[in-house]
Amino acid sequence: MTTTDNSVHDGVVFTTSQVVLLTGLHPRTLEAFERAGIAASPRRSAAGQASYDQHDLVRLCQARNLVQRAGMDLDEVRQLFAMQAQIEQTRQRLDQMVTELWEILDRTVPTPSGRVFTTGSDGRAWPGRQPMTGCRRLQR
């Protein structure tokens, strides 16, 4: 992927030499991760300078740990990351569907007692409806 925009994610951009220093990866290992599809190809400036963001850095460290500590091969790491991405996409879609369902229910089904509780993903519950992503609202 080629771009001249360095304002990725939180604006922090790392060069290849910084990534090598911060992750402890050898430059050839970094290239192998990119070829295996574990790490996205770095963005490139107009001058051809490769750049990585914090998400890339975290992913590279995770890949390094899975290879070095868990003994996974590059294909297994790539598959694991692909499954994680699928899970996240499914979770986002589910959150969207739940939000849509609650909007439909709020419009069509009145709350008999007026008592509605919202629960967070951590199990906390509080009275009332709060539009929070990833929360389930329970009615008693």
Side-chain angles (χ1 to χ4, degrees):
M1 173 163 79
T2 304
T3 182
T4 56
D5 181 14
N6 284 341
S7 62
V8 290
H9 297 293
D10 57 5
V12 178
V13 177
F14 302 95
T15 64
T16 301
S17 59
Q18 290 170 321
V19 169
V20 166
L21 182 66
L22 292 168
T23 62
L25 292 171
H26 189 277
R28 294 215 188 269
T29 304
L30 181 58
E31 291 171 7
F33 281 4
E34 291 167 8
R35 280 193 309 274
I38 292 170
S41 296
R43 286 159 294 286
R44 299 216 176 258
S45 69
Q49 175 82 24
S51 64
Y52 301 83
D53 61 27
Q54 277 189 312
H55 174 75
D56 297 330
L57 199 65
V58 168
R59 189 174 171 103
L60 288 166
C61 288
Q62 289 173 339
R64 178 201 63 212
N65 290 339
L66 290 168
V67 170
Q68 291 177 349
R69 295 184 179 157
M72 295 176 78
D73 64 38
L74 296 183
D75 191 49
E76 291 171 326
V77 173
R78 183 190 52 73
Q79 290 175 10
L80 177 66
F81 285 168
M83 285 187 280
Q84 286 176 330
Q86 281 184 311
I87 290 168
E88 183 56 31
Q89 288 173 352
T90 303
R91 186 175 289 137
Q92 289 174 3
R93 179 65 184 132
L94 182 60
D95 284 346
Q96 180 184 2
M97 292 169 69
V98 168
T99 299
E100 291 169 5
L101 176 62
W102 279 110
E103 288 171 357
I104 292 168
L105 286 173
D106 286 346
R107 286 192 310 267
T108 58
V109 179
T111 306
S113 67
R115 294 186 340 173
V116 175
F117 295 89
T118 305
T119 60
S121 59
D122 60 357
R124 290 182 309 119
W126 56 90
R129 293 183 174 141
Q130 294 190 5
M132 297 181 66
T133 304
C135 292
R136 296 176 295 174
R137 290 178 274 172
L138 301 177
Q139 180 177 324
R140 289 187 179 190

